[in-house]
């Protein structure tokens, strides 16, 4: 069976969109898809070690943030970092931190980011990945 | 299979994913399918409405045989053959 590929340009650093990305990654993992994630600007903030577990960023319907976060807890939904980790354990997921985005948030080295990140890259890698993917998403 | 046949089918692996929301049951099924042999039957217990649509589609894509779904009180039993 031919392996399909998903490329995700992950711009958002807010918990709601990162949670949605985690759900989509779960679907990709269930189908053994190859996944390449490019962590851009605001998402690079969320991927920094000191920020990843802070749940105070909700970009959509932000006046309902407390209700949203309480519902995630009620539904026992995994934190987005756990969802990403599960996907990485189940299928081939590579997470690239955009070098420019890292610098914006004073993250110069891979060690500045959570262990889920595989490397720091330039936009050329994103273009190459996007050209060879059946599914391209921007979140 | 009809409901009577599904209730009577011998299950080789049961996965209880009732405590999880989408995509939890699907991922639980994905993890468990590696633990049974080809030809064996697995049931997935899920309280997530979307799962009863996801599992048949997943079976079709992965080459497994979707056998059917039995609705219980507050959850579904979804049967498939590897």
């Amino acid at each position: 069976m031919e392996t399909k590929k998903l490329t995700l340009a992950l711009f958002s650093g807010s918990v709601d969109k990162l949670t949605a990305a985690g759900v989509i990654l779960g679907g990709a993992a269930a189908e053994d898809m190859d996944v390449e994630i490019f962590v851009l600007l605001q998402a690079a903030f969320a991927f920094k070690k000191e920020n990843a577990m802070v749940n105070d960023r909700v970009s959509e319907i932000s006046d309902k943030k407390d209700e949203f976060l309480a519902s995630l807890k009620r539904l026992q939904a995994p934190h987005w970092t756990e969802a990403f980790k599960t996907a990485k354990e189940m299928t081939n997921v590579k997470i690239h931190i955009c070098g420019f985005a890292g610098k914006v948030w004073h993250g110069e080295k891979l060690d500045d980011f959570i262990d889920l990140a595989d490397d720091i890259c330039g936009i050329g890698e994103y273009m190459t990945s996007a050209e060879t993917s059946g599914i391209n998403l921007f979140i | 299979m009809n409901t009577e046949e599904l209730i009577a089918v011998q299950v080789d692996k049961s996965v209880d994913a009732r405590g999880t929301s989408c995509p939890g049951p699907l991922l639980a099924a994905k993890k468990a399918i590696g633990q049974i042999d080809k030809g064996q039957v697995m049931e997935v217990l899920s309280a997530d409405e979307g799962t009863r649509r996801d599992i048949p589609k997943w079976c079709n894509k992965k080459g497994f045989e979707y056998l059917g779904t039995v609705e219980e009180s507050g959850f579904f039993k979804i049967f498939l053959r590897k």
Side-chain angles (χ1 to χ4, degrees), chain A residues 1 4 22-27 29-32 75-77 86 89-91, chain B residues 18-23 26-32 57-58 60-63:
Chain A
M1 191 176 291
K4 293 181 289 184
V23 172
I24 292 170
L25 284 182
E31 298 194 13
D32 296 312
L75 295 168
Q76 300 179 53
T86 298
E89 290 169 351
M90 296 180 73
T91 194
Chain B
R18 284 177 287 182
T20 66
S21 301
C22 179
L26 186 59
L27 292 173
K30 166 79 174 359
K31 285 179 182 172
K57 288 189 174 78
W58 177 69
N60 188 44
K61 288 179 179 176
K62 303 305 292 181

Side-chain angles (χ1 to χ4, degrees), chain A residues 93-104:
Chain A
V93 179
K94 296 294 182 200
I95 299 179
H96 313 283
I97 307 291
C98 164
F100 169 60
K103 288 178 182 175
V104 166

Side-chain angles (χ1 to χ4, degrees), chain A residues 16-28:
Chain A
D16 49 351
K17 294 186 178 182
L18 289 164
T19 300
V23 172
I24 292 170
L25 284 182

Side-chain angles (χ1 to χ4, degrees), chain A residues 44-45 47-51 97-113 120:
Chain A
F45 179 87
F47 268 76
K48 286 199 76 185
K49 282 179 175 171
E50 65 271 29
N51 301 329
I97 307 291
C98 164
F100 169 60
K103 288 178 182 175
V104 166
W105 303 112
H106 310 289
E108 305 276 341
K109 309 180 300 295
L110 185 59
D111 191 49
D112 292 325
F113 300 92
I120 295 175

Side-chain angles (χ1 to χ4, degrees), chain A residues 64-97:
Chain A
K64 298 289 185 184
K65 180 181 78 173
D66 292 343
E67 180 180 341
F68 172 72
L69 295 175
S71 289
L72 292 185
K73 194 171 183 180
R74 172 174 53 83
L75 295 168
Q76 300 179 53
H79 189 262
W80 67 268
T81 54
E82 278 302 309
F84 277 51
K85 182 182 176 191
T86 298
K88 285 198 80 164
E89 290 169 351
M90 296 180 73
T91 194
N92 179 29
V93 179
K94 296 294 182 200
I95 299 179
H96 313 283
I97 307 291

Side-chain angles (χ1 to χ4, degrees), chain B residues 17-79:
Chain B
R18 284 177 287 182
T20 66
S21 301
C22 179
L26 186 59
L27 292 173
K30 166 79 174 359
K31 285 179 182 172
I33 199 75
Q35 299 166 16
I36 62 173
D37 296 326
K38 189 174 181 181
Q40 290 189 311
V41 171
M42 183 168 81
E43 68 172 5
V44 180
L45 279 53
S46 173
D48 180 72
E49 178 71 28
T51 304
R52 68 185 302 183
R53 297 165 63 107
D54 282 349
I55 296 279
K57 288 189 174 78
W58 177 69
C59 287
N60 188 44
K61 288 179 179 176
K62 303 305 292 181
F64 309 133
E65 181 186 3
Y66 167 67
L67 300 176
T69 297
V70 174
E71 193 164 349
E72 300 280 357
S73 179
F75 70 98
F76 308 101
K77 284 183 177 176
I78 306 164
F79 296 85

